[in-house]
């Protein structure tokens, strides 16, 4: 079956202000078709991973959620976060191509590896540049028994120059500051939808990340770094080795390699955010 073109589908719902585009997508899910995009200028209750708040001022950033109604089993859904991370990276790479990343004064990223890509992915869902976060992804799933009703992939990209709250300013940035270039949120959304369509088609061929693996691993900022794995059942330390085709982060520990599942787990650099 020919995959649908998720970039050309017209079903987009726009809100000036909404609690959270992920929550709005959930409310619309029953009557919605696969591929619905919910976008807002402002979120009053934007959500990040692990129950964190995603501060969402008006007029500054891109906030959207993509609703999918896939036929695959629920255990595959967490990989969609990584598929979207590849799409967001590709989109920003294309729109900011030609713009030099503005050096980040307190960054050690890039200084250690001059071949590192300007845009990197911090497993599983952060898009970073110069050691600072530009975008985050929150994937949620609704089930009917053991089958997927819908998956909602929420994306927040910091676009325009802004003052970040004190607690995040040390490790957050925006496209305008990072690339010295104004990017239209409309163009960015269109480009991410196109690039997601390509990456999702690739994922659907194998129902794993084998087709995106080398690209993701090239962009992975964690590789070769000491990480603390923040697993709800117990934290541990190790060195990140890259991801496998299931999207798990392979972490070398004293007891051997542990494959960490993306679900509710995240990692922190031992010496800072990355
Ligand atoms: C994270 O990095 O913790 C994930 C952040 C995801 C934020 C986006 S903004 C659009 C969508 N709606 C939400 O409430 N959250 C996601």
């Amino acid at each position: 079956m020919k995959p649908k073109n998720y970039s050309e589908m017209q079903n987009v719902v726009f809100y000036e202000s909404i609690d959270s585009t992920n929550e709005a997508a959930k409310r619309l899910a029953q009557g919605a078709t696969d591929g619905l995009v919910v976008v807002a200028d402002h979120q009053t209750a934007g959500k990040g991973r692990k129950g964190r708040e995603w501060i969402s001022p008006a007029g500054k950033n891109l906030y959207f959620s993509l609703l999918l109604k896939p036929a695959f089993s629920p255990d595959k859904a967490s990989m969609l976060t990584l598929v979207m991370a590849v799409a967001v990276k590709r989109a920003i790479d294309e729109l900011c191509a030609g713009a030099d990343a503005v050096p980040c004064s307190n960054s050690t990223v890039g200084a250690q590896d001059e071949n590192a890509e300007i845009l990197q992915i911090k497993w599983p869902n952060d898009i970073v540049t110069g050691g600072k976060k530009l975008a985050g992804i929150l994937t949620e799933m609704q089930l009917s028994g053991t089958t997927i009703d819908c998956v909602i992939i929420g994306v927040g990209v910091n676009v325009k120059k802004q003052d970040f709250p004190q607690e995040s300013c040390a490790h957050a940035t925006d496209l305008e500051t990072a690339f010295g270039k104004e990017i239209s949120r409309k163009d960015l959304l269109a480009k991410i939808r196109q690039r997601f369509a390509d990456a999702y088609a690739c994922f659907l061929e194998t129902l794993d990340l084998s087709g995106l693996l080398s690209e993701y691993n090239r962009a992975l900022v964690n590789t070769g770094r000491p990480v603390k794995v923040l697993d709800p059942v117990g934290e541990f330390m190790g060195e990140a080795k890259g991801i496998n085709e299931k999207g798990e982060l392979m972490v070398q520990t004293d007891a051997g390699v542990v494959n960490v599942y993306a679900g509710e787990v995240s990692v922190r650099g031992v010496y800072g955010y990355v």
Side-chain angles (χ1 to χ4, degrees):
M1 196 176 72
K2 193 171 176 290
K4 276 184 240 175
N5 190 335
Y6 286 87
S7 63
E8 283 176 6
M9 289 163 51
Q10 293 305 306
N11 46 347
V12 176
V13 176
F14 173 76
Y15 295 97
E16 285 289 341
S17 182
I18 194 76
D19 50 354
S20 147
T21 57
N22 272 31
E23 291 304 312
K26 282 183 208 167
R27 292 192 289 269
L28 294 168
Q30 213 183 358
T33 51
D34 184 52
L36 174 78
V37 169
V38 179
V39 55
D41 182 50
H42 170 232
Q43 297 185 120
T44 55
K47 302 188 301 174
R49 285 180 90 232
K50 305 181 92 182
R52 293 196 197 99
E53 182 185 12
W54 186 260
I55 295 170
S56 308
K60 294 281 181 200
N61 301 318
L62 176 62
Y63 317 112
F64 77 94
S65 301
L66 171 65
L67 181 136
L68 299 176
K69 295 195 166 177
F72 49 71
S73 58
D75 59 309
K76 314 273 183 220
S78 69
M79 284 186 268
L80 295 177
T81 298
L82 286 79
V83 175
M84 182 58 90
V86 168
V88 173
K89 179 186 176 322
R90 284 182 186 172
I92 298 175
D93 270 337
E94 283 177 42
L95 288 173
C96 298
D100 289 331
V102 176
C104 172
S105 53
N106 64 356
S107 167
T108 56
V109 176
Q112 293 174 351
D113 176 2
E114 58 193 31
N115 296 317
E117 300 206 15
I118 289 174
L119 271 181
Q120 295 179 301
I121 300 173
K122 175 177 172 285
W123 184 88
N125 70 315
D126 289 356
I127 307 298
V128 302
T129 189
K132 293 190 170 198
K133 178 162 172 168
L134 271 173
I137 300 163
L138 172 67
T139 300
E140 299 184 273
M141 172 167 62
Q142 302 214 297
L143 296 172
S144 275
T146 55
T147 57
I148 296 180
D149 253 352
C150 65
V151 175
I152 291 154
I153 312 173
V155 180
V157 186
N158 302 329
V159 178
K160 300 194 178 180
K161 205 169 268 214
Q162 59 204 279
D163 293 324
F164 292 99
Q166 187 137 33
E167 60 281 10
S168 58
C169 70
H171 61 77
T173 190
D174 52 71
L175 292 177
E176 198 175 323
T177 303
F179 295 99
K181 186 172 173 179
E182 280 185 36
I183 301 288
S184 132
R185 290 178 288 167
K186 194 165 159 238
D187 292 350
L188 179 59
L189 175 60
K191 188 64 83 180
I192 293 174
R193 291 179 78 198
Q194 286 167 10
R195 293 302 155 250
F196 181 82
D198 306 336
Y200 190 45
C202 179
F203 168 79
L204 287 176
E205 279 174 25
T206 53
L207 290 182
D208 67 22
L209 295 169
S210 44
L212 302 170
L213 193 63
S214 55
E215 183 177 354
Y216 191 100
N217 273 329
R218 256 196 324 274
L220 188 65
V221 71
N222 310 94
T223 306
R225 290 171 179 264
V227 289
K228 184 196 262 187
V229 178
L230 307 172
D231 189 324
V233 298
E235 297 181 4
F236 61 93
M237 314 262 263
E239 186 183 297
K241 292 291 179 193
I243 64 156
N244 63 20
E245 69 285 345
K246 290 191 219 152
E248 297 164 336
L249 186 69
M250 299 178 291
V251 179
Q252 179 74 54
T253 71
D254 291 344
V257 175
V258 179
N259 294 337
V260 184
Y261 177 73
E264 263 305 289
V265 181
S266 57
V267 295
R268 278 266 170 278
V270 170
Y271 304 113
Y273 165 62
V274 294

